[in-house]
Amino acid sequence: MRADRVFAYGAAAGLLGDQLLGDPRRGHPVAVFGRAAGAVERVLWRDHRGWGALHTAVCVGGAVALGAAAQSLVRPSRTASVALTAAATWAVVGGTSLAREARTVGRALEAGDVGAARARLPHLCGRDPQALDADGIARAVVESVAENTSDAVVGALVWGAVGGVPGLLGFRAVNTLDAMVGHRSARYRRYGWASARLDDVAGWPGARLTAGLATVAGGDPAGAVRAWRADAGRHPSPNAGPVEASFAGALGVRLGGTLSYGGRVEHRPVLNREGRSVEVGDIERAVRLSRRVGLLALGVSVAARALLRGRAS
């Protein structure tokens, strides 16, 4: 079976598996990778960029090598190749868990239980929940849904289209390492530099595809394009900016502004200033938009894989 068809069938099956089953409660492959990366960090950590770059190379290179070895092993069997691609896709995408956590916070807010919403928010993002009121929590959820649509779904499909199973595993490894060591704390400012920069590079195509698809799948294409063009570049993240701005325009809401991470207050630019304030009901709208973007990304990625094969042949 041709490689593009293996990816098409496997990625579709893996995305369907994620929608039907979600992430496993125990023994998730990403959690296993995280524990392995933590073990490598305990051996290599130094307050130095070079040692951090080595950590990144060992962990990401190991994930890519594992994917390449597995893909080579099953290549003689069409069924096994599709099954491996499906398993890898299911392991690395997280759209269902993202939607589940967002809706859990939304239900708590709808019930007026701000305390429960604050307790659940850390499962979704790194904001300081005690610093947020109900509207602030709703805004944080919508922003997290937007950003993680790129990180947890679209980006993985893009790299799967480019590199098959090694691309899927490699992207998730990069994204996971950034979450572990890529933030600017005293411990990781130097050591996590390589992981953070690699995540910026790996996330670039998926973020632009996510933003573009949000303009197509949202309720206000013109508003999404306008917000993307006007505000994306003002965001401190080169990848979160386009995604959050396009989601803001598509949903007709304002995102960004003052927020708090780990006791550190950040004053971020407002995205889609012409929009209204986020309301609790916008959480469900954001989740539905995320679902539509994910399905469209599957189609684009399958088409791109076929195009790449055609040019190579």
Side-chain angles (χ1 to χ4, degrees):
M1 184 183 291
R2 293 176 1 189
D4 56 326
R5 293 182 179 176
V6 168
F7 175 74
Y9 299 152
L15 199 62
L16 178 62
D18 175 66
Q19 292 190 357
L20 294 177
L21 305 174
D23 293 331
R25 299 296 183 182
R26 297 180 180 178
H28 195 291
V30 175
V32 173
F33 171 82
R35 289 193 293 271
V40 174
E41 178 189 341
R42 287 191 292 273
V43 174
L44 295 181
W45 188 91
R46 307 288 190 280
D47 190 16
H48 190 277
R49 284 186 176 183
W51 286 96
L54 178 60
H55 177 225
T56 303
V58 168
C59 294
V60 176
V64 172
L66 177 63
Q71 186 169 270
S72 178
L73 182 66
V74 302
R75 185 171 287 120
S77 170
R78 292 177 295 180
T79 301
S81 295
V82 171
L84 176 65
T85 303
T89 302
W90 170 74
V92 303
V93 300
T96 294
S97 292
L98 174 64
R100 181 188 299 125
E101 294 296 340
R103 284 168 168 156
T104 298
V105 176
R107 285 193 295 270
L109 292 176
E110 289 174 350
D113 194 344
V114 177
R118 285 182 178 137
R120 196 68 187 180
L121 187 63
H123 290 79
L124 191 63
C125 63
R127 307 286 175 86
D128 290 338
Q130 300 306 317
L132 299 174
D133 58 11
D135 291 341
I137 293 172
R139 191 192 80 195
V141 171
V142 171
E143 290 172 353
S144 183
V145 168
E147 184 175 0
N148 282 291
T149 298
S150 176
D151 288 343
V153 182
V154 180
L157 293 173
V158 166
W159 283 102
V162 172
V165 172
L168 288 165
L169 299 188
F171 176 79
R172 177 53 59 218
V174 170
N175 193 246
T176 303
L177 279 182
D178 179 60
M180 293 177 67
V181 305
H183 41 88
R184 294 185 177 181
S185 66
R187 177 178 175 86
Y188 295 124
R189 185 170 286 108
R190 294 184 182 87
Y191 188 81
W193 179 86
S195 291
R197 297 293 77 78
L198 184 58
D199 184 67
D200 288 343
V201 173
W204 196 95
R208 273 73 193 167
L209 179 58
T210 302
L213 294 178
T215 67
V216 175
D220 186 358
V225 172
R226 182 174 59 250
W228 182 3
R229 294 180 61 184
D231 300 327
R234 300 166 60 224
H235 196 285
S237 168
N239 294 329
V243 173
E244 292 185 18
S246 63
F247 263 67
L251 297 171
V253 300
R254 292 193 306 273
L255 299 178
T258 301
L259 49 84
S260 177
Y261 280 102
R264 184 183 73 256
V265 176
E266 294 185 15
H267 300 283
R268 292 186 177 178
V270 174
L271 308 177
N272 193 37
R273 190 176 296 274
E274 298 176 0
R276 57 173 174 78
S277 298
V278 176
E279 302 171 353
V280 175
D282 293 317
I283 293 176
E284 181 60 29
R285 295 178 62 224
V287 168
R288 291 179 179 177
L289 177 57
S290 174
R291 289 289 201 189
R292 293 194 295 272
V293 167
L295 290 174
L296 288 173
L298 174 63
V300 171
S301 298
V302 167
R305 180 75 170 178
L307 180 62
L308 289 172
R309 182 190 180 280
R311 288 185 175 181
S313 61

